Amino acid sequence: MKTLLKYTLLLFIFVYSEILAAQTKHLSLENVLTFEEYLGYVKKHHPLLKQADLILSVGEANLLKARGGFDPKIEVDYDRKKFKNTEYYDQLSATFKIPTWYGVEFKANFEENMGEFLNPNLTVPDKGLYSAGISFSLAQGFLINERMASLKKARFFREQTKADRDLLVNSLLFEASSAYLEWLKVTNEELIYITFLKNANTRLLAVERSVEMGEKAAIDITEARITLQNRQLNLEAASLKRKKAALIVSNYLWLNDVPMEIREEVVPVLPKLDALEASLLLEGITDTSRLLRNHPKLLSLDAKIDELTVERSLKLNKLLPKINIQYNFLTPKIDQARTLNTANYKAFVNFSFPLFLRKARGDLQLANLKLQDVNFERVSTATTLQNKIDAVYAEINSLSKQNQLIRDIVIDYKALVKAEERKFFLGESSLFIINSREQKLIDIQLKENKLRVKQLMATANLYNTLGLPI
């Protein structure tokens, strides 16, 4: 009779475990959020991605603003003075200017001036005076000037905003992936404690029945109950961690600008390594040196170096003297082009040059120092990124070996626990020994879960280190 009862209890444990596994499988099929689906929501709906696109718009707006420096311009000046029925002067000047790249500006002008007290040099024919000419700088401002520098820097700034946008997106997807994998880890911890809580509860019932039949000492009930209570405590702590992790994951889930919250029954699914790599665009990567050259962080620094190089060229140009020249052909008749000749003209020359150039030399020194600083940062960043990439690859390879080893260890621990359970129900072992072996199995399964997720986390870290955009 006792032997029959023991085997009945063993059968009950086996059948109950199968039912629990079937229920867990059914739950995972209906209430799951896969990594691919989750990351798809993040890529498509997260507001930070839309904010990242605004960075590109800032770069385009700056470029548009800089191009405005080369827009054609119309200027009209009108000045009149009349006092006690005397018209002192009535002056009208309308100008159309077309700026060009190398500090050259084409200009067309119309002047009409009259009045009793008009300045003699403003006297023009009765129907006004037309002029067409050119103005340019011979030294400072010819090869580069503020207008040219602003446009060049705006173009480099646009490239910098593209790289910064890629960095922002990369960081967001890495943080979202890390949150999901953390949620996966603590969810698996909870499932492990649920499984072993059921075992402890079943074992307590079996011990109580054995005590009633006189096969076990009453103190075994106390030991079994303590084990059950410890498992309940561990499960409660794991459940709290899962809930907190799910809330963190919810921070990355949006739909049509509305934040979503993960329901209590929804669980994550362990992604396959190749699926994780495909979601993070790591599939088929072999040439990391090329990726390093195109890393958004380095591209951003390169664009910044280009901007500072332009600024340095502008400051260097300031060492040259200012020589501004204007020459305009004059004619009273706009419809007769042949009247434009060198006999009628207006010319202007301006020359200036500071004797010590202290301001220009100081500005140039500052520009050189800024450029050196960013160049040093670029070299340091490239070295740091290369070392990080090598470290992540080494971590991934090591974790792959560790996971293989720990899988074998878990299999052996499970075999030990099953053997000890059979010995216990046959009366050849003690509750202390089986609890001790089962605790070691719990610890090793928790470690296996941690290492498995850590390998996936290292793969996500590789995506972040390589700076891959979406």
Side-chain angles (χ1 to χ4, degrees), residues 270-273 396-416 440-441 443-456:
L270 181 70
K272 293 183 178 179
L273 188 59
I396 290 174
N397 293 332
S398 176
L399 287 171
S400 178
K401 296 177 183 177
Q402 291 181 51
N403 273 285
Q404 181 58 50
L405 290 171
I406 203 166
R407 277 193 293 267
D408 296 337
I409 296 173
V410 169
I411 291 172
D412 291 340
Y413 265 112
K414 285 182 177 179
L416 283 175
K440 290 182 179 180
L441 176 59
D443 293 340
I444 201 65
Q445 281 192 326
L446 291 174
K447 188 173 182 180
E448 179 193 29
N449 173 58
K450 184 178 180 180
L451 285 175
R452 189 165 49 192
V453 173
K454 194 174 182 180
Q455 183 180 9
L456 297 174

Side-chain angles (χ1 to χ4, degrees), residues 76-291:
V76 178
D77 292 325
Y78 180 69
D79 194 9
R80 185 183 186 192
K81 180 179 179 181
K82 187 174 182 181
F83 182 69
K84 293 183 178 181
N85 296 324
T86 300
E87 186 176 55
Y88 280 64
Y89 53 81
D90 190 321
Q91 299 173 232
L92 173 66
S93 176
T95 306
F96 178 67
K97 298 179 181 180
I98 303 177
T100 60
W101 183 249
Y102 286 106
V104 178
E105 187 174 77
F106 295 98
K107 181 169 67 173
N109 180 261
F110 171 72
E111 288 183 79
E112 189 177 42
N113 305 319
M114 61 187 67
E116 296 186 23
F117 297 97
L118 188 68
N119 193 325
N121 69 351
L122 297 177
T123 302
V124 296
D126 292 340
K127 293 185 179 180
L129 182 66
Y130 297 91
S131 65
I134 186 173
S135 64
F136 56 93
S137 300
L138 279 181
Q140 185 181 133
F142 180 68
L143 295 178
I144 188 170
N145 52 49
E146 296 286 351
R147 197 161 50 201
M148 296 162 60
S150 294
L151 182 55
K152 286 182 177 180
K153 288 193 290 185
R155 287 172 177 166
F156 293 131
F157 181 71
R158 181 180 60 176
E159 298 303 315
Q160 185 179 355
T161 56
K162 290 180 181 178
D164 291 342
R165 183 258 183 195
D166 290 342
L167 279 175
L168 183 60
V169 171
N170 176 275
S171 179
L172 170 66
L173 295 184
F174 171 67
E175 290 173 4
S177 301
S178 300
Y180 182 92
L181 294 175
E182 180 64 24
W183 179 39
L184 173 67
K185 184 183 76 172
V186 296
T187 300
N188 288 341
E189 286 181 7
E190 184 184 37
L191 291 175
I192 290 171
Y193 283 122
I194 287 174
T195 300
F196 286 99
L197 176 63
K198 299 295 182 182
N199 290 350
N201 188 54
T202 302
R203 194 170 296 124
L204 176 60
L205 294 175
V207 170
E208 288 176 345
R209 182 63 59 88
S210 297
V211 170
E212 289 177 4
M213 299 180 65
E215 297 179 355
K216 300 288 182 181
I219 194 63
D220 285 344
I221 296 178
T222 303
E223 185 173 352
R225 187 166 58 246
I226 290 174
T227 301
L228 177 65
Q229 291 169 343
N230 280 327
R231 302 280 166 80
Q232 289 173 335
L233 182 62
N234 291 334
L235 176 59
E236 185 60 32
S239 179
L240 176 60
K241 288 197 292 184
R242 177 188 59 79
K243 291 175 182 177
K244 291 171 68 175
L247 288 174
I248 294 175
V249 172
S250 297
N251 293 336
Y252 299 94
L253 287 176
W254 293 72
L255 183 62
N256 299 325
D257 297 329
V258 177
M260 296 190 295
E261 186 173 335
I262 296 175
R263 299 193 309 271
E264 178 72 20
E265 64 272 16
V266 175
V267 296
V269 179
L270 181 70
K272 293 183 178 179
L273 188 59
D274 55 353
L276 181 73
E277 291 177 348
S279 298
L280 295 175
L281 308 180
L282 289 167
E283 205 172 25
I285 288 180
T286 55
D287 186 8
T288 57
S289 60
R290 180 183 61 83
L291 290 174

Side-chain angles (χ1 to χ4, degrees), residues 312-414:
R312 179 186 177 277
S313 298
L314 181 62
K315 300 303 182 185
L316 183 63
N317 187 259
K318 297 288 186 181
L319 296 175
L320 299 175
K322 288 183 179 180
I323 306 176
N324 298 321
I325 298 176
Q326 291 187 30
Y327 188 89
N328 297 278
F329 296 99
L330 303 176
T331 178
K333 299 177 180 180
I334 191 61
D335 56 341
Q336 296 180 11
R338 66 178 180 274
T339 60
L340 294 172
N341 55 64
T342 55
N344 303 313
Y345 66 91
K346 181 172 67 173
F348 169 81
V349 177
N350 172 262
F351 175 85
S352 66
F353 185 71
L355 294 181
F356 300 112
L357 291 173
R358 285 181 289 196
K359 181 179 184 303
R361 287 188 288 116
D363 287 341
L364 180 59
Q365 287 179 12
L366 290 174
N368 284 329
L369 291 173
K370 289 180 182 178
L371 187 58
Q372 290 178 14
D373 181 65
V374 179
N375 275 312
F376 288 144
E377 183 182 357
R378 206 270 183 198
V379 172
S380 175
T381 301
T383 304
T384 301
L385 287 174
Q386 184 61 65
N387 291 335
K388 282 185 177 180
I389 291 172
D390 294 341
V392 171
Y393 271 115
E395 183 183 14
I396 290 174
N397 293 332
S398 176
L399 287 171
S400 178
K401 296 177 183 177
Q402 291 181 51
N403 273 285
Q404 181 58 50
L405 290 171
I406 203 166
R407 277 193 293 267
D408 296 337
I409 296 173
V410 169
I411 291 172
D412 291 340
Y413 265 112
K414 285 182 177 179

